């Protein structure tokens, strides 16, 4: 599946997702999808630097996988956003950003737990879960 299509499927899975990004394992941006009308808190340079730091942390976690198992996702929560990082194969990462507010934009959609479940199901490529 191509990167833009995968990000669109992720964005369509929950209205509370602000944006999603695919990077290589070093944090270099490959593809981005933004929710219309959502304004980034960080500049492009700040976003790129943040993704590189998160990718570096993911590589460090990956070194522990022989002992604790493969990483499924990591959550970084801030006052304004929550960013969830998922591995995409061995060489890529997906970053999904949602607002950190406790009031959901759409009561029929979920919060952090539901978004994690949605993305894990999409990445499993099991059509009965997505």
């Amino acid at each position: 599946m191509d990167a833009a299509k995968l990000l669109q499927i992720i964005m369509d899975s929950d209205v509370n997702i602000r944006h999603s990004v695919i990077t290589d394992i070093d944090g270099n941006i490959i593809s981005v999808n933004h929710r219309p009308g959502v304004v980034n808190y960080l500049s492009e340079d700040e976003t790129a630097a943040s993704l590189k730091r998160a990718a570096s942390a993911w590589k460090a976690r990956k070194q522990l996988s022989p002992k604790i198992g493969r990483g499924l996702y990591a959550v970084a929560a801030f006052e304004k956003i929550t960013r969830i990082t998922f591995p995409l194969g061995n060489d890529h990462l997906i970053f999904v950003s949602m607002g950190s507010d406790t009031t959901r934009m759409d009561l029929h959609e979920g919060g952090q737990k539901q978004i994690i479940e949605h993305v894990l199901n999409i990445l499993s490529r099991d059509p009965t879960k997505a």
Side-chain angles (χ1 to χ4, degrees), residues 13-27:
S13 75
D14 195 294
V15 299
N16 296 304
I17 297 173
R18 296 172 48 86
H19 75 276
S20 55
V21 179
I22 293 178
T23 70
D24 65 17
I25 198 67
D26 295 317

Side-chain angles (χ1 to χ4, degrees), residues 63-119:
Q63 292 176 347
L64 301 175
S65 65
K67 292 185 176 187
I68 60 176
R70 183 178 61 87
L72 303 177
Y73 61 90
V75 178
F78 305 90
E79 288 180 344
K80 295 182 179 181
I81 66 161
T82 298
R83 185 182 60 212
I84 310 161
T85 307
F86 300 88
L88 180 60
N90 289 322
D91 300 323
H92 296 87
L93 299 167
I94 296 180
F95 296 88
V96 175
S97 174
M98 60 179 281
S100 288
D101 57 351
T102 57
T103 305
R104 301 294 6 120
M105 292 169 40
D106 182 323
L107 295 178
H108 300 293
E109 298 297 331
Q112 176 180 310
K113 181 179 177 185
Q114 289 78 18
I115 289 172
I116 290 169
E117 288 176 9
H118 289 164
V119 175

